[in-house]
Amino acid sequence: MITDHLKRTYDELKKSQYPVLIWGAGSMSVEVGCRLKEQGINVCGKFITTAAERSHIISSDDPVFTLDEIKNKYSKINVVAGHGHYEKIDDISSCSFIHKVYVISNPYAQYKGPDLEYVYQNQDKLDYIISRLADAESQTALERYIAVSITKDIRYLLESKDICIDGMYGLDALKITDSESFVDVGAWEGDSIRSFLKSSDQKYHKIYAFEPDPTIFQTLQHHYGNKENIFLYRLGLGAKDAELNISRRNTQSAFLTSGQEDPNTEKIMIKTLDEVLADEPVSLIKISIPFMFTDVLKGGTSLIRRNRPRMIINVAADDNFALYDAAKWISELDVSYKLVLRFDFPMPTRLYLYAYPV
């Protein structure tokens, strides 16, 4: 669905007398480029702020320039942000050769979030979530998430700095220690492990990292395969043992699907946390996988009841509003948890549900 705000953005870009370039060259810039090309908007390339950022470039059909190269090449340009750090827009907008910076707040086609119809039809679910949240900032985070999901206007997040924390482990109530037994579900290439180690001063008891994507798992293994007490699993996690396909169709973010076979998918095994970790002690769980985060929780029921770990769950990587399902499941455990919502930076898909025992 293209909202009025997004339609105005596309219309302005189509009529632009200036070249259109994407700011950023990572995975999000690929999705931004897809959305622009779907609208018939010609992109002249991408740019990064400094040459040092070239290490983060994803393979691209579009030329990638530095900011200085853009300055020498064009007298005036329009820019579409192709990364998640929207708080930096004011800095780059001051460049004399940049006419205007536009934002497509959530370019990932598979992550739709709640729309206005959902809000009208499910006010009881929203009320339920609000009643379970531990502080006013959480309610604001929920309201702002819904507002940007409906309107596609990123200003709803940029104007509420109190709902953002410094990284996904930055919530004070987590009280990260140097002796955590940490479970990382959706470890990707190890970025969330790196952030965790920074928060724990590079100290920990054990780390269990799960990443089903076969290609990305090789990178994860390269970074952490020989580290002491870090255990890597090329597995998906869910509510029960199963086989699913992993797909990359039309996205830079892999996701699981039970759909028909096609050349863009590969079968992977799904296990449960209860089965894989059995009697292992666990103190902290991070879940960041599209669509299936509530299934991961269900598959770890015994482990969670036994250990009462603090939990960090990305609840925005979804095509509807599974935040309700996750919050309800946690609330109905015979474990007393406080629930908090925060963004780790102002981007719609970076909304996290934090659960910590009272």
Side-chain angles (χ1 to χ4, degrees), residues 114-132 139 142-143 146 150 320-321 324:
D115 57 17
L116 196 57
E117 182 180 4
Y118 181 92
V119 172
Y120 282 142
Q121 294 180 355
N122 295 277
Q123 191 59 53
D124 57 331
K125 293 183 178 180
L126 296 174
D127 291 342
Y128 178 90
I129 295 171
I130 290 170
S131 72
R132 297 302 190 275
Q139 183 170 340
L142 176 61
E143 291 169 349
I146 292 173
I150 291 172
N320 201 330
F321 198 56
Y324 167 77

Side-chain angles (χ1 to χ4, degrees), residues 61 135 151 219 227 246 262 314:
D61 293 333
D135 56 23
T151 65
T219 305
K227 302 294 184 181
I246 191 163
D262 70 55
N314 184 326

Side-chain angles (χ1 to χ4, degrees), residues 81-92:
H83 54 73
H85 292 282
Y86 302 133
E87 73 278 8
K88 297 179 180 179
I89 288 175
D90 287 344
D91 296 336
I92 202 165

Side-chain angles (χ1 to χ4, degrees), residues 10-281:
Y10 287 143
D11 286 345
E12 286 187 29
L13 289 169
K14 287 176 183 176
K15 298 173 183 175
S16 173
Q17 60 180 307
Y18 305 117
V20 176
L21 288 100
I22 296 172
W23 176 24
S27 61
M28 183 178 284
S29 73
V30 176
E31 296 299 319
V32 168
C34 289
R35 303 293 85 77
L36 294 176
K37 288 170 184 176
E38 287 170 359
Q39 297 298 318
I41 297 167
N42 182 50
V43 174
C44 295
K46 301 175 182 178
F47 71 91
I48 51 180
T49 308
T50 65
E53 297 172 12
R54 289 198 182 277
S55 61
H56 301 292
I57 293 175
I58 299 292
S59 178
S60 173
D61 293 333
D62 299 309
V64 179
F65 307 97
T66 64
L67 194 60
D68 286 340
E69 289 170 342
I70 290 293
K71 182 179 179 180
N72 294 328
K73 186 175 180 64
Y74 298 105
S75 59
K76 190 76 74 173
I77 64 171
N78 277 321
V79 172
V80 184
H83 54 73
H85 292 282
Y86 302 133
E87 73 278 8
K88 297 179 180 179
I89 288 175
D90 287 344
D91 296 336
I92 202 165
S93 296
S94 62
C95 295
S96 60
F97 59 92
I98 293 179
H99 174 247
K100 188 172 180 178
V101 180
Y102 296 87
V103 172
I104 300 173
S105 62
N106 178 16
Y108 295 100
Q110 76 274 28
Y111 303 152
K112 298 180 176 63
D115 57 17
L116 196 57
E117 182 180 4
Y118 181 92
V119 172
Y120 282 142
Q121 294 180 355
N122 295 277
Q123 191 59 53
D124 57 331
K125 293 183 178 180
L126 296 174
D127 291 342
Y128 178 90
I129 295 171
I130 290 170
S131 72
R132 297 302 190 275
L133 296 176
D135 56 23
E137 291 84 0
S138 295
Q139 183 170 340
T140 301
L142 176 61
E143 291 169 349
R144 295 286 173 155
Y145 170 68
I146 292 173
V148 76
S149 179
I150 291 172
T151 65
K152 312 305 180 189
D153 189 342
I154 196 62
R155 287 175 295 183
Y156 284 104
L157 297 187
L158 297 177
E159 294 168 358
S160 299
K161 299 188 184 303
D162 57 336
I163 63 177
C164 291
I165 57 176
D166 184 16
M168 71 174 74
Y169 307 102
L171 187 73
D172 290 340
L174 288 177
K175 299 178 181 177
I176 302 293
T177 72
D178 60 3
S179 58
E180 302 286 357
S181 289
F182 171 50
V183 178
D184 189 351
V185 184
W188 199 235
E189 62 177 19
D191 52 342
S192 49
I193 295 178
R194 284 191 290 274
S195 297
F196 165 74
L197 291 173
K198 182 178 179 181
S199 299
S200 67
D201 197 25
Q202 306 298 316
K203 298 174 182 177
Y204 59 93
H205 178 56
K206 291 182 179 179
I207 296 175
Y208 309 92
F210 295 83
E211 176 51 54
D213 185 295
T215 303
I216 296 302
F217 184 82
Q218 291 179 8
T219 305
L220 177 66
Q221 200 165 36
H222 172 74
H223 291 315
Y224 294 105
N226 296 317
K227 302 294 184 181
E228 185 177 5
N229 287 332
I230 296 183
F231 307 94
L232 308 180
Y233 301 85
R234 192 169 82 80
L235 285 174
L237 291 174
K240 59 184 180 181
D241 288 359
E243 267 191 355
L244 289 179
N245 297 316
I246 191 163
S247 173
R248 288 176 172 279
R249 182 179 291 278
N250 298 324
T251 176
Q252 292 297 305
S253 296
F255 61 96
L256 298 175
T257 173
S258 57
Q260 294 181 349
E261 303 256 4
D262 70 55
N264 297 296
T265 65
E266 179 175 335
K267 280 195 177 296
I268 64 162
M269 296 299 299
I270 303 293
K271 299 289 185 181
T272 68
L273 266 176
D274 284 340
E275 177 184 358
V276 178
L277 296 186
D279 297 324
E280 293 289 335

